[in-house]
Amino acid sequence: MIAMVPRRHRRLLAAALACTLVPACGIRGRSIPTILPVVSGATTKIYAADGTLITELQGDEQRVSITLDQIPHVLQNAVIAIEDERFWEHDGVDPRGVVRAAKENSDGGSQGGSTITQQYIKNTLLSPERSLQRKVQEASLAYQLERQYSKAFILEQYLNTIFFGNRAYGVQQASLRYFGHPVAAITLPEAALLAGLVQSPTRMNPYVHPDAALKRRNLVLGKLAELGYIGTEEADAAKLTPLALAPLAPPATTRYPAAHFVEEVKRFIRTDPRFGKTAAERENLLLNGGLSISTSIDLNLQAKAEKAATDEYPSQRRAIKDRRKDPDIGLVAIDPKSGYVRAMVGGYDYFDDDTVNHPYAQVNLAVGGDGQSGSTFKLVVLAAALAAGVSPTATFPAPGSTVIRYPGQAAWKVSGESGGAKAPLLECVVHSLNTCFGNLIADKRVGPDGATAFAAKMGIDTSYNPTTDVGFKPYLSLVLGTNNSTVLDMTEAYTVFANRGIHVDPVLVTKVVDATGTVRYQSQRSQQKLLEPEDADAATQMMEQVLVRGTAAGRGIDRPAAGKTGTTQDETDAWFVGFTPDLVTGVWAGYAQTTKRKVGSTGATAAAPVWQRFMKAALADVPPTPFDYSTKPITPTTTVPKSNTAIFEPLAASAPKTVTMPAVAGLSVPEANSRAQSAGLKLRRVDLAMPGVAPGQVLSQSPAPGTAVPRGATVTVEATPGTPVPTGPIPDLVGQVARDALPKVANAGYEIAQVIEAAPDGFVLPLGAAPASGVIWATSPAAGGGTPDGKITVRIQP
C-alpha cells in the first residue's frame, strides 16, 4: 500500500501508522494537559460595580461556545463528511484517510489527511510550524486525546474552535456572521457552506469568492449524499439554492463610558503575571480569553465626575494653540472604607479623534499625568510627622523666608506667606505656610527619608533610579510637592485621613472569571494602620478649616468635609484633594500637552471648583455624615469586597483560597459531587454512554487529581447517563432518627421505601433501649449487605 503513495507522503503515513499501533511514539515530555485549552477568541466583558456591562474586548477573533446538543446534526454531519468521514471509527489517526488524501492530491486535488482530532490538537496545543516532527507529535497527542476523552466531547471542542473566516470562530459565531441567525436555525445548504469553509476560509470566503464558496458547498452536499447522510434528491435540491448571506455588519461603535478607567483595567491584566507568564499570553487572554472582569467603577458617579469637569471647563476641547483653552482635568474618587475606585476622569474625551490638537486624548491623566503634587503633599509629610511622635499642637517657625539645613543635604532657601515666629500646625495647614512645613520635614523625627518612606506606605510611588536621576527624589523640598505624583496616588494617600489612620489599597478590579467559570482573581482588601485615630482626626480637623477660612474658603459642600489645595511654584499644576467620611476625591488641573503652559490660577480656583461640583452631585442622595472623632480603637482587617457592593456599603468576606482537586473517577456522580463540594468546588457533568458501565458512574475528570484549583471553580466529569444504582454495603441505619438519616442515604443514590410499623413486643435496639417514635428499627436488606437494585426498605417506629 505504501508503494502506491507519492514519495512526499510516505514518511507521514509511516508515522501515522506507528502512532496508531504504538502509543509511545509521542515526543518525549509532551502529553495531553489535565484541562483542555480554554477556547480562545471568546469575548472578554468588563462590568461596572453594579453588574452593568461597560464594554466588550476582542482581538481578531469572535466566538460563542455552545454544547454539542445545541449544534444541529446536519451541521455535525456536514463537517464530518468533508473533513473526517471516518471520525466515529478511527482512534485519532486515520491511515486510510492519509492514503486517500495522498492519492487525491497526487491526482491534482486538494484533500487534507488530518483527522478532526488531529486538527483540534494542531489548533489548540501545537505551534503552526510545518515539519515531520510536529506531525508525529500531532498524531501522538491525537491518539492520547481519544483515549482520555469521548468522541462527542472532542467533536464539541472542535466545532467551537474552527476558524470560519471573517473573525468568526466556532459554529455559533459563524452562523451569526454569515446568516444572521443562531446555529440552531441552520439549513442544509447553510450547513454545507460552513463545512466547506473549514479547509480554507480565505479562498472560500463567500463575500469575496462566491463562486468558489458555492462550488465547495455543493461538493459537501455531494459528500453527504455519498455517505448516506441525506438522499440524492435532497442534495440536488440544496445545490440549486443560491447563496443567501447576511450583510457584513459595520464595525461596532467603540465609544463606552469610563474609557480611561477601562484602559487601567486592561493594564492590570496585561501586567499581572497571574494572568500569564509572558506579555503575549496575558494579551491573548485579555482579548480572546472570554474573561468576565468585575470592577469597582460606579457609572453614576463616573457620569457626574465627567459632567463636573466639562461644566466647569466647557472649552477643554479647543486647540492647544488657542490661549482660551480650558485646562485638562484628572479626577479620582475612592470609597475610603473599601478602597474601591468609584470614578476616574483621565482627560476630556478618550475617543477624541483630533490627533493634531489632542494627541494625548488616550493618556490617562489620572494615573500618568506626571504633575507635581504641590502643597497637597504637605499633608503627607504631616502624617509622617504625627506617626513619628510630633504633637498635632506643636508649633514651628514660619517666617516669610528662611534657609533650612539638614545633614547630608544642601542648604534650602524657602519662602512664602509668613505665619510669624512660631505657628501651630493648624495654622500651617490652613494657610499652607511653606516655611513651617520646611521646618517640619527638617525635624529629626521626620527627615526627607522618613517622609519618603511614609509616603510609600500611604500609596505614593516613591521609586527612584539614582543612575538616571529619575523618580522620587528625597530632598527637603519634597514637602512642597516638587516630585511628580499621580491623582490616583494622592487620592489614595488621603483615604488614610478619611479612614482614621487606616490605609486601604485602591481597587479597580474586584474579580476576574475565565471562560470555564474559574475565578482567576479576587481582590483582597488588606488594611494597614498607619496613624493613631486621634492623629488622623487632628489632621482632618485642620483640613476642615481649609474649607472654612483657609486657602479653599468658600469651596465647601454643605456637609462636613476636609481637604487641601496645591499649586506648583510655576502654576503649571493645580490640585485639590478633599474628602468626607464617605468619599475621597482628588482633582488635578493642568495642560497635558505641555508642562510650560500655566494654569494661571491656584488649586483653590482651578481644581477645587471641579471637586466642589462633583462632591455635591455625588453625595446628593447620601445623608450628611459628621466625622467620627471618638477615641474608640480601630483594628485593621483583611476582607474580600463584594464586586457589586453599593457605594459606601461595609464589606466583609473571606479571602480566596486554592484547593486540591480530589480523585473522583470511578465514583458515582453523587459521591463525586459530594467530594467536590467538600473541597469547595462545583461539579459539571457531561454524559457519555459507555456500554457495560452502570448508570451515573464517573469515567474521567478534568482537572486531574491533585491539581491546585481556585476555591469555587467549576470542574468537569464525564459520566454515564442516568442515576447510579448503589449496590452496597448498606449503611447501618438501625437506631437512627429517620428524618436525619434517610436524606443522606437518598443522596447516596439509594431508593428508600419507608414502612411505619411498630417493633415487635420486647424488641430492643443494640444499645438495649426500645425504639422511640421516628427511629429506624429494621432495614431490608440488612446493614452490611448488598442490594442488586439499590432499593432499601426501612421500618420506622410510629
Side-chain angles (χ1 to χ4, degrees):
M1 178 175 66
I2 295 180
M4 299 171 58
V5 180
R7 184 183 304 274
R8 63 182 180 275
H9 297 294
R10 292 177 189 172
R11 288 188 300 165
L12 177 57
L13 176 58
L17 285 169
C19 283
T20 302
L21 301 174
V22 185
C25 72
I27 303 300
R28 190 189 322 183
R30 191 66 195 264
S31 60
I32 294 296
T34 55
I35 303 179
L36 289 177
V38 174
V39 175
S40 66
T43 301
T44 287
K45 298 181 179 181
I46 299 179
Y47 297 93
D50 63 358
T52 300
L53 177 65
I54 300 176
T55 188
E56 297 180 348
L57 308 179
Q58 293 175 327
D60 293 332
E61 307 176 4
Q62 293 181 353
R63 185 196 315 272
V64 178
S65 294
I66 55 178
T67 58
L68 188 62
D69 60 6
Q70 295 175 298
I71 302 173
H73 287 289
V74 64
L75 180 54
Q76 296 183 38
N77 294 338
V79 173
I80 290 172
I82 197 64
E83 289 297 318
D84 185 6
E85 62 183 70
R86 296 186 65 249
F87 171 72
W88 298 110
E89 303 169 34
H90 60 65
D91 293 326
V93 179
D94 185 11
R96 287 165 57 180
V98 174
V99 174
R100 184 177 60 253
K103 184 177 186 304
E104 181 170 330
N105 292 342
S106 66
D107 293 338
S110 177
Q111 177 76 30
S114 293
T115 65
I116 280 177
T117 311
Q118 287 176 277
Q119 291 181 48
Y120 174 72
I121 290 291
K122 178 179 65 176
N123 293 338
T124 59
L125 292 178
L126 298 179
S127 65
E129 67 173 313
R130 300 174 65 88
S131 67
L132 178 63
Q133 182 183 29
R134 196 201 63 79
K135 290 297 292 184
V136 172
Q137 190 177 41
E138 174 190 296
S140 174
L141 291 175
Y143 184 83
Q144 293 180 51
L145 187 69
E146 294 237 0
R147 289 174 62 88
Q148 187 168 339
Y149 293 95
S150 67
K151 288 279 190 179
F153 187 76
I154 293 169
L155 183 61
E156 176 185 301
Q157 297 289 84
Y158 174 76
L159 292 175
N160 281 304
T161 308
I162 315 171
F163 179 51
F164 289 95
N166 288 295
R167 299 180 63 208
Y169 279 71
V171 292
Q172 179 74 305
Q173 188 63 40
S175 182
L176 293 169
R177 175 59 48 82
Y178 288 107
F179 312 124
H181 60 67
V183 73
I186 202 165
T187 65
L188 173 60
E190 291 171 344
L193 177 66
L194 291 189
L197 292 177
V198 174
Q199 184 188 72
S200 180
T202 302
R203 287 193 297 111
M204 305 299 171
N205 186 339
Y207 292 106
V208 181
H209 306 292
D211 292 341
L214 190 64
K215 181 179 179 180
R216 180 71 176 173
R217 182 202 70 176
N218 292 343
L219 177 65
V220 175
L221 290 169
K223 194 69 175 178
L224 282 167
E226 176 189 331
L227 297 175
Y229 287 112
I230 60 175
T232 303
E233 293 183 359
E234 188 178 8
D236 291 342
K239 291 177 182 179
L240 297 176
T241 305
L243 291 180
L245 302 174
L248 276 177
T253 177
T254 57
R255 184 172 288 275
Y256 47 84
H260 286 104
F261 175 86
V262 168
E263 284 304 302
E264 195 62 13
V265 169
K266 293 187 210 176
R267 191 187 70 81
F268 172 75
I269 302 294
R270 284 169 170 150
T271 58
D272 194 315
R274 285 173 290 190
F275 301 106
K277 294 181 180 179
T278 67
E281 289 177 2
R282 297 190 291 269
E283 183 74 8
N284 183 60
L285 179 66
L286 174 65
L287 297 182
N288 301 314
L291 302 179
S292 292
I293 305 175
S294 300
T295 73
S296 61
I297 200 74
D298 183 319
L299 293 181
N300 179 47
L301 294 190
Q302 178 68 25
K304 290 178 178 179
E306 293 173 2
K307 187 175 187 300
T310 54
D311 283 356
E312 187 66 29
Y313 296 115
S315 64
Q316 290 181 74
R317 200 182 187 281
R318 290 183 184 272
I320 191 66
K321 63 183 180 181
D322 188 339
R323 301 299 295 179
R324 295 172 296 170
K325 179 188 181 295
D326 286 335
D328 298 300
I329 296 296
L331 180 150
V332 172
I334 299 178
D335 179 344
K337 300 297 188 297
S338 65
Y340 277 16
V341 175
R342 294 303 193 179
M344 177 180 285
V345 177
Y348 170 71
D349 183 4
Y350 178 87
F351 300 104
D352 190 342
D353 57 2
D354 185 357
T355 57
V356 175
N357 291 306
H358 304 108
Y360 55 88
Q362 295 186 354
V363 174
N364 189 346
L365 303 179
V367 298
D370 290 334
Q372 293 183 350
S373 55
S375 292
T376 55
F377 207 86
K378 291 174 179 175
L379 268 293
V380 176
V381 176
L382 174 64
L386 296 175
V390 174
S391 171
T393 60
T395 60
F396 287 86
S401 178
T402 188
V403 175
I404 308 292
R405 290 179 171 81
Y406 189 83
Q409 302 239 348
W412 175 42
K413 183 177 181 179
V414 58
S415 60
E417 181 182 346
S418 174
K422 287 277 190 177
L425 285 175
L426 169 62
E427 298 305 315
C428 295
V429 171
V430 170
H431 300 291
S432 197
L433 303 179
N434 289 346
T435 56
C436 174
F437 279 96
N439 283 297
L440 176 64
I441 194 173
D443 188 291
K444 64 181 180 181
R445 291 169 291 182
V446 187
D449 290 335
T452 299
F454 200 82
K457 292 180 180 180
M458 295 180 78
I460 294 170
D461 182 3
T462 59
S463 58
Y464 173 67
N465 186 333
T467 303
T468 59
D469 195 32
V470 173
F472 195 98
K473 300 175 182 178
Y475 301 150
L476 288 167
S477 59
L478 71 83
V479 71
L480 302 186
T482 54
N483 287 296
N484 291 344
S485 296
T486 69
V487 186
L488 178 60
D489 283 0
M490 292 305 300
T491 307
E492 176 187 349
Y494 273 59
T495 62
V496 174
F497 303 118
N499 221 15
R500 303 194 68 205
I502 303 296
H503 172 261
V504 180
D505 290 331
V507 175
L508 284 78
V509 176
T510 58
K511 192 175 186 179
V512 178
V513 180
D514 67 20
T516 69
T518 299
V519 176
R520 297 286 296 266
Y521 170 80
Q522 173 82 59
S523 67
Q524 180 174 325
R525 181 166 63 103
S526 180
Q527 300 177 326
Q528 181 182 11
K529 183 177 180 180
L530 299 183
L531 291 173
E532 293 299 327
E534 55 270 24
D535 288 332
D537 293 347
T540 297
Q541 289 172 317
M542 297 176 194
M543 285 186 280
E544 278 192 283
Q545 292 300 305
V546 171
L547 287 163
V548 175
R549 60 183 179 87
T551 54
R555 295 301 178 185
I557 55 175
D558 304 322
R559 66 176 63 218
K564 182 69 183 74
T565 57
T567 309
T568 55
Q569 188 172 9
D570 54 6
E571 295 185 351
T572 57
D573 301 280
W575 290 77
F576 189 81
V577 186
F579 57 94
T580 69
D582 305 311
L583 194 64
V584 182
T585 300
V587 177
W588 168 87
Y591 291 96
Q593 196 164 351
T594 174
T595 57
K596 297 180 180 180
R597 178 79 181 271
K598 294 184 177 182
V599 179
S601 53
T602 66
T605 55
V610 177
W611 178 87
Q612 184 181 45
R613 284 178 182 269
F614 169 67
M615 292 292 279
K616 282 186 174 182
L619 300 172
D621 298 325
V622 179
T625 306
F627 288 107
D628 180 6
Y629 293 135
S630 65
T631 57
K632 62 184 179 182
I634 299 177
T635 303
T637 60
T638 299
T639 63
V640 177
K642 295 178 289 183
S643 61
N644 60 347
T645 303
I647 187 170
F648 315 142
E649 178 184 341
L651 306 168
S654 58
K657 296 180 179 179
T658 298
V659 298
T660 301
M661 176 66 192
V664 297
L667 302 178
S668 67
V669 172
E671 291 172 324
N673 191 51
S674 176
R675 285 198 185 182
Q677 289 182 347
S678 298
L681 302 170
K682 300 175 184 177
L683 196 71
R684 173 179 176 258
R685 170 178 175 172
V686 177
D687 283 341
L688 173 63
M690 185 65 66
V693 181
Q697 301 300 306
V698 177
L699 302 171
S700 63
Q701 67 178 82
S702 180
T707 303
V709 184
R711 180 181 293 276
T714 299
V715 296
T716 301
V717 298
E718 283 191 327
T720 50
T723 302
V725 179
T727 57
I730 294 173
D732 187 2
L733 303 177
V734 174
Q736 298 188 44
V737 178
R739 68 171 180 269
D740 297 331
L742 295 187
K744 299 178 182 178
V745 179
N747 287 338
Y750 288 97
E751 183 179 337
I752 308 297
Q754 301 182 42
V755 178
I756 308 300
E757 179 180 276
D761 291 340
F763 180 86
V764 294
L765 295 171
L767 295 180
S773 176
V775 170
I776 300 170
W777 57 272
T779 64
S780 179
T787 170
D789 55 6
K791 296 180 180 180
I792 302 176
T793 299
V794 298
R795 300 185 183 280
I796 305 171
Q797 186 74 9

